[in-house]
Amino acid sequence: MARPGEELPQEVLALVFRHLSLKDRAAAAQVCRAWAEAVTCSSIWHHMNISCDGEIEGTLLPSLFSCLDHVRHLQLGFELSSEQSRAAATELLTVLASGACRLRSLRLECHGQKRLFDAGRDVLSAVQVVCGAAHELRHLDLRSLPFTLDDGLVLQVARGCPRLHSLFLDNHTLVGSVGPQSVLELLDACPHLCALGLHLASLSRTALEMLAAPDRAPFRLLAVRCACPEDARASPLPDEVWAAVRQRNPGLTVELELEPSLPVESVMRILQPTVPVAALRLNLSGDSVGPVRFAARHYADTLRQLEVRAAASATLNAALEELAACCVGLRDVHCFCVVSPSVLNAFRTHCPHLHSYTLKLQREPHPWRPTLVA
């Protein structure tokens, strides 16, 4: 009788095993020698989605560590309130950096709430170690981390990852500690960078001028989050500078996210007419009607996604109808307040490319589910 796995070539086993969780891979490796060889095949480790919320246990880590040199693209999840989960994520990143690190992309997914002020700093320190070792890194996404990112991290990325293409630091934090000077050093050290997510306070006129430089590779995405007190106090970015950036980078799209801490005067200072806004998320404590009308009049050619969290009103309904008539390229519209039937009709009539919308005509239990357009 053939032993388990001998009837299938290693290539076929590898195709099956690449869909297994980390825990199941460890179990498969114990079945027989053929399965163990297939589980450790380098190709099945190139793309990894690992959860430290319970999938990794002390007995599994050694079996994983021997394969980390093969990982190219890693999405790593951990539970912020669990010391064990954070420790597992930290150890994994540390071992990854200590080997022949050929990582091309790293995305961290953080779940749960912080119970301690410094919870998660151990993981962030390990990320910095990885950035110092992963010289082939192309993509780094830290948007899910709910704690403060600082200049030290950005400078480490600038020094260690010269081939970086995308970096997202526009996370949900109450304090912005990435200064404009660090961003300038990043742009100078990473000439291939073409997608960047930041808090507004980290962006400067000089940075935009660097993006408009004729010898720089075309920039395609700039995601700007405005939520911290530092964002409200940030120096204005003149419309003429945005015009120069847009002329140099005709394919550039900008995503703007405006949070409740912003005063009205700051909101209207941020919304410059020439900014090629493709996604606009308004979660303001004050006036939302003005920004919606501004978007209708200035972002008609570029706006593709709109999200509004505001109190329902007749004036907001009128502004949304105006926007629907102007921004006919919209693909996704999500309003988390009750709207009038005329608003729903306006978007369905004027926006033929609509993929999904959240436009409720009466209150419903949360969470509100979007409607998908066939």
Side-chain angles (χ1 to χ4, degrees):
M1 179 181 294
R3 289 180 298 172
E6 287 189 339
E7 67 276 9
L8 292 176
Q10 187 183 89
E11 294 79 5
V12 176
L13 288 172
L15 286 174
V16 175
F17 291 161
R18 73 172 51 178
H19 299 288
L20 296 181
S21 69
L22 186 60
K23 187 173 183 178
D24 290 339
R25 291 185 189 193
Q30 305 300 316
V31 173
C32 64
R33 181 177 299 177
W35 282 32
E37 291 177 354
V39 165
T40 56
C41 178
S42 64
S43 63
I44 78 168
W45 295 91
H46 285 175
H47 292 79
M48 288 298 300
N49 187 343
I50 300 175
S51 171
C52 296
D53 298 347
E55 182 180 338
I56 294 182
E57 300 172 3
T59 56
L60 295 180
L61 285 173
S63 64
L64 166 66
F65 289 164
S66 63
C67 300
L68 283 181
D69 287 348
H70 304 314
V71 176
R72 301 292 182 270
H73 308 277
L74 175 61
Q75 179 171 318
L76 180 63
F78 65 96
E79 174 64 43
L80 187 57
S81 61
S82 169
E83 184 176 351
Q84 181 180 5
S85 179
R86 297 199 315 271
T90 300
E91 186 175 5
L92 190 148
L93 290 170
T94 302
V95 173
L96 180 68
S98 65
C101 189
R102 299 184 179 92
L103 202 61
R104 297 295 184 91
S105 67
L106 174 61
R107 178 177 179 177
L108 266 62
E109 290 289 339
C110 181
H111 313 293
Q113 300 294 323
K114 287 201 298 183
R115 294 182 180 177
L116 300 173
F117 177 76
D118 60 346
R121 302 301 299 181
D122 43 1
V123 177
L124 189 57
S125 296
V127 171
Q128 289 193 232
V129 174
V130 170
C131 292
H135 304 303
E136 298 293 323
L137 194 68
R138 304 292 201 274
H139 308 284
L140 179 59
D141 189 343
L142 304 179
R143 283 175 287 191
S144 177
L145 300 185
F147 36 81
T148 302
L149 308 177
D150 57 22
D151 291 329
L153 172 65
V154 176
L155 295 176
Q156 179 72 310
V157 172
R159 289 190 295 263
C161 310
R163 299 186 180 184
L164 199 67
H165 289 186
S166 68
L167 174 63
F168 294 99
L169 305 172
D170 47 326
N171 64 334
H172 289 255
T173 181
L174 299 177
V175 179
S177 295
V178 176
Q181 185 59 40
S182 298
V183 175
L184 298 181
E185 295 188 34
L186 175 75
L187 292 173
D188 185 59
C190 303
H192 304 291
L193 194 67
C194 60
L196 183 60
L198 294 170
H199 282 260
L200 179 64
S202 304
L203 201 56
S204 65
R205 176 173 184 154
T206 306
L208 292 181
E209 290 171 346
M210 290 181 70
L211 299 185
D215 57 343
R216 187 171 186 89
F219 218 78
R220 61 178 180 82
L221 173 62
L222 184 60
V224 182
R225 189 166 187 268
C226 312
C228 304
E230 293 83 0
D231 296 329
R233 297 191 295 266
S235 300
L237 301 172
D239 197 49
E240 61 269 19
V241 180
W242 281 110
V245 173
R246 188 172 181 177
Q247 183 177 8
R248 172 63 183 84
N249 304 276
L252 175 67
T253 59
V254 174
E255 298 179 357
L256 280 180
E257 184 175 359
L258 309 182
E259 291 291 319
S261 60
L262 291 177
V264 175
E265 58 272 16
S266 295
V267 172
M268 300 315 296
R269 180 162 44 85
I270 294 166
L271 296 175
Q272 297 292 325
T274 313
V275 182
V277 176
L280 181 61
R281 301 179 184 92
L282 301 173
N283 184 19
L284 302 172
S285 58
D287 173 47
S288 293
V289 174
V292 170
R293 291 193 185 280
F294 188 95
R297 295 164 187 172
H298 297 288
Y299 304 148
D301 295 333
T302 60
L303 194 63
R304 298 294 178 264
Q305 299 177 3
L306 175 70
E307 181 179 308
V308 179
R309 296 177 183 270
S313 69
T315 53
L316 180 59
N317 286 334
L320 289 170
E321 289 180 43
E322 179 183 346
L323 185 136
C326 296
C327 302
V328 297
L330 275 166
R331 297 172 184 169
D332 302 283
V333 178
H334 303 286
C335 297
F336 294 93
C337 63
V338 175
V339 300
S340 65
S342 59
V343 171
L344 174 59
N345 182 65
F347 281 107
R348 298 186 66 171
T349 300
H350 298 297
C351 303
H353 306 292
L354 209 58
H355 291 169
S356 66
Y357 61 83
T358 305
L359 299 167
K360 303 297 183 181
L361 305 184
Q362 59 185 9
R363 289 191 176 277
E364 298 180 4
H366 285 280
W368 286 7
R369 304 294 183 186
T371 298
L372 301 180
V373 180

